[in-house]
């Protein structure tokens, strides 16, 4: 008899958060929502709190506290505010698993704190492992916590590796849709607009991830995440463009055999797999139909056009605080591009510049990584504001 898993969702109002709640709604005998958090979308957070009646909610700041508290006064919910409450969310409730569905650096400290408390992580926040992959890898060795990936690519690899020995792996093959600018050249990219970059062909995601998809930085971050999640050397991780997004990723073994995981592009599948692991839970989501779709295509990514992917590989090879610099500069440039302050190709130039300018630390501790992150953001912001 499965015991009901108590779940905390950090970032419950975002794309992954809402789909996680959808999965939980469909499996209310297996999962109970104990805590939800949001940074700014208080209206949706209130609706979710009323529907799921968690023990605790955490909201970004106190500005809407009266409104939130009045709306939820009839329920017995503990309400906390601010970054400290988010970072220390485990102090407020007893949970079995935390879904880290936050965007960017905000996922780092809550995830680390959960691991320190032996709580399993369902991870959708790739930046966490990009910033502090080696730190987290070492931390996991001393704790009982597990990380179950929610990214469709990492979930696919995780599924392909079930029952396999690590030494049998020859390489990991991450698939990428290629984003909205697949096949375009540098000249085309010079003048693309925010709206064009936000039109993703296959997946519905938040703005940050969608822009990262259009520059292929998303794939670069996933390569670094895979390096730490599966402890595989960077030279054994490959990216292949697969526009249909049906094969979510593959593993090639030493005997030449390749195992792939396929399915409709629906984030609820990897979310459900992470929440239910090791059990596969039945659902009625759409199934992939081989009769309707008679071709799957593959092509090499262009490192020349999408230089972000190249920079990510370089940062991954350098290790140390390089991936942290890559991520921090990327977060700032994406936000600047979304706000109309810089052009599409400026993003890559600024990231490359920060990788050359911010001082390199070969084996940083957590303090140094947080320091690197702040220093990089400051450096890039100053450069953008001078433009």
């Amino acid at each position: 008899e499965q015991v009901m898993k108590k779940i905390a969702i950090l970032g419950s109002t975002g794309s992954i958060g809402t789909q996680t709640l959808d999965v939980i709604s469909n499996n209310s005998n297996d999962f109970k929502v104990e805590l939800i958090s949001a940074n700014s979308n208080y209206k949706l957070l209130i609706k979710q709190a009323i529907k799921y009646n968690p023990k605790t909610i955490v909201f970004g700041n106190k500005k809407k506290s009266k409104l939130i508290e009045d709306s939820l006064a009839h329920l017995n919910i503990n309400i906390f505010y601010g970054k400290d409450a988010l970072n220390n969310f485990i102090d407020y409730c007893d949970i079995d698993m935390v879904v880290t569905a936050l965007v960017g650096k905000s996922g780092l400290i809550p995830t680390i704190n959960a691991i320190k408390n032996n709580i399993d992580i369902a991870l959708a926040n790739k930046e966490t492992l990009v910033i502090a992959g080696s730190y987290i890898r070492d931390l996991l060795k001393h704790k009982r916590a597990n990380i179950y990936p929610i990214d469709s690519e990492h979930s696919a690899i995780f599924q392909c590796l079930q029952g396999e020995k690590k030494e049998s792996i020859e390489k990991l093959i991450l698939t990428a849709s290629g984003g909205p600018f697949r096949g375009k050249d540098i000249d085309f990219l010079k003048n693309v607009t925010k709206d064009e970059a936000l039109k993703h062909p296959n997946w519905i995601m938040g703005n940050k991830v969608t822009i990262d998809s259009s520059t292929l930085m998303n794939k670069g971050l996933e390569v670094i995440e895979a390096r730490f999640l599966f402890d595989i050397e960077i030279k054994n991780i490959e990216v292949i463009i697969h526009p249909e997004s049906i094969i979510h990723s593959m593993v090639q073994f030493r005997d030449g055999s390749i195992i792939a995981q396929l399915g409709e592009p629906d984030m609820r599948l990897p979310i459900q797999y992470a929440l239910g692991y090791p059990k596969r839970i039945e659902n009625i989501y759409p199934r992939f139909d081989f009769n309707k779709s008679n071709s799957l295509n593959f092509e090499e990514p262009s490192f020349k056009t999408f230089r972000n992917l190249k920079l990510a590989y370089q940062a991954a090879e350098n290790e140390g605080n390089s991936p942290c610099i890559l991520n921090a500069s990327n977060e700032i440039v994406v936000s600047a591009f979304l706000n109309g302050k810089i052009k599409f190709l400026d993003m890559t130039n600024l990231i490359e510049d920060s990788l050359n300018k911010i001082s390199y630390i070969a084996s940083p501790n957590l303090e140094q990584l947080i320091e690197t992150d702040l220093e990089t953001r400051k450096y890039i912001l100053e450069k953008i504001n001078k433009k």
Side-chain angles (χ1 to χ4, degrees):
E1 178 62 1
Q2 188 182 341
V3 187
M4 195 183 267
K5 270 192 205 170
K6 293 184 279 214
I7 311 279
I9 305 172
L10 307 183
S12 66
T13 58
S15 167
I16 295 289
T18 50
Q19 292 179 86
T20 302
L21 286 169
D22 189 36
V23 168
I24 291 174
S25 292
N26 294 330
N27 299 284
S28 51
N29 295 332
D30 292 318
F31 309 111
K32 162 91 179 80
V33 182
E34 286 287 295
L35 178 145
I36 52 177
S37 89
N39 185 40
S40 54
N41 190 345
Y42 64 94
K43 288 181 177 159
L44 183 53
L45 187 70
I46 290 169
K47 277 187 188 148
Q48 291 176 342
I50 291 169
K51 180 170 178 185
Y52 294 94
N53 196 13
K55 271 204 178 90
T56 306
I57 65 172
V58 179
F59 187 66
N61 58 53
K62 282 202 159 144
K63 286 187 191 136
K64 298 286 176 195
S65 59
K66 184 161 169 23
L67 198 135
I68 294 172
E69 284 156 26
D70 289 351
S71 308
L72 302 176
H74 61 296
L75 297 166
N76 188 14
I77 297 177
N78 302 313
I79 305 171
F80 298 95
Y81 302 94
K83 202 163 93 181
D84 281 349
L86 181 66
N87 286 345
N88 299 302
F89 74 97
I90 32 192
D91 299 346
Y92 308 125
C93 56
D94 166 35
I95 53 171
D96 302 310
M97 178 178 258
V98 53
V99 177
T100 315
L102 301 159
V103 176
K105 179 185 78 162
S106 55
L108 179 65
I109 304 301
T111 303
I112 287 173
N113 286 344
I115 294 170
K116 284 180 176 169
N117 284 274
N118 298 309
I119 294 167
D120 287 342
I121 315 285
L123 187 68
N125 173 255
K126 53 184 77 82
E127 292 90 347
T128 292
L129 281 176
V130 173
I131 299 168
S134 45
Y135 173 84
I136 288 172
R137 189 181 52 197
D138 294 341
L139 187 62
L140 285 166
K141 286 176 186 154
H142 308 288
K143 295 290 174 187
R144 289 192 312 278
N146 299 294
I147 294 184
Y148 301 114
I150 282 180
D151 265 341
S152 64
E153 297 79 1
H154 301 90
S155 174
I157 290 167
F158 183 64
Q159 293 181 54
C160 293
L161 290 176
Q162 293 304 307
E164 297 287 349
K165 291 193 167 62
K166 184 169 171 266
E167 52 273 21
S168 336
I169 302 167
E170 192 166 287
K171 64 178 176 183
L172 307 181
I173 305 166
L174 289 151
T175 55
S177 69
F181 306 135
R182 181 173 66 87
K184 302 293 190 214
D185 61 10
I186 284 275
D187 280 344
F188 177 87
L189 295 179
K190 276 181 186 153
N191 296 310
V192 298
T193 63
K194 172 179 109 172
D195 291 343
E196 289 170 314
L198 286 171
K199 284 194 181 80
H200 195 279
N202 303 340
W203 295 95
I204 298 161
M205 308 175 286
N207 283 357
K208 155 92 170 48
V209 184
T210 308
I211 297 298
D212 283 349
S213 260
S214 73
T215 64
L216 289 200
M217 179 56 92
N218 193 42
K219 218 41 57 177
L221 297 176
E222 285 173 9
V223 165
I224 299 171
E225 184 182 356
R227 148 118 197 62
F228 291 113
L229 262 181
F230 305 110
D231 198 18
I232 298 291
E233 284 185 49
I234 208 75
K235 65 177 196 305
N236 300 330
I237 304 174
E238 194 179 293
V239 169
I240 188 95
I241 304 287
H242 164 51
E244 293 81 9
S245 296
I246 296 302
I247 295 180
H248 299 305
S249 277
M250 303 174 254
V251 177
Q252 182 170 311
F253 294 93
R254 288 169 90 166
D255 59 358
S257 186
I258 297 176
I259 295 184
Q261 188 263 334
L262 288 72
E264 285 286 329
D266 182 343
M267 280 311 294
R268 292 174 305 178
L269 300 177
I271 291 168
Q272 180 180 291
Y273 188 73
L275 292 184
Y277 185 84
K279 179 176 135 184
R280 283 192 185 268
I281 301 168
E282 269 186 63
N283 63 38
I284 51 163
Y285 301 146
R287 301 309 199 226
F288 176 64
D289 184 350
F290 281 93
N291 298 319
K292 287 209 176 80
S293 169
N294 54 10
S295 68
L296 297 175
N297 293 281
F298 305 95
E299 60 199 52
E300 248 182 299
S302 166
F303 283 89
K304 206 172 127 212
T305 308
F306 296 97
R307 276 177 42 237
N308 273 357
L309 189 54
K310 193 173 173 190
L311 293 176
Y313 266 99
Q314 284 167 353
E317 274 164 26
N318 296 341
E319 284 215 358
N321 63 341
S322 291
C324 177
I325 297 169
L326 176 90
N327 179 71
S329 52
N330 182 59
E331 283 190 37
I332 297 294
V333 299
V334 167
S335 158
F337 174 69
L338 285 168
N339 292 321
K341 289 185 179 159
I342 57 173
K343 296 182 111 170
F344 189 80
L345 292 175
D346 293 337
M347 291 192 280
T348 306
N349 296 334
L350 285 160
I351 293 166
E352 184 169 40
D353 182 52
S354 72
L355 283 165
N356 294 330
K357 293 288 195 309
I358 306 292
S359 41
Y360 174 72
I361 306 168
S363 36
N365 59 29
L366 189 57
E367 313 297 285
Q368 288 169 313
L369 288 168
I370 290 168
E371 184 49 48
T372 296
D373 178 86
L374 291 171
E375 190 192 337
T376 307
R377 287 164 193 270
K378 198 172 147 226
Y379 174 74
I380 294 283
L381 278 170
E382 280 168 8
K383 292 219 51 153
I384 289 170
N385 292 333
K386 275 185 196 148
K387 276 191 182 268

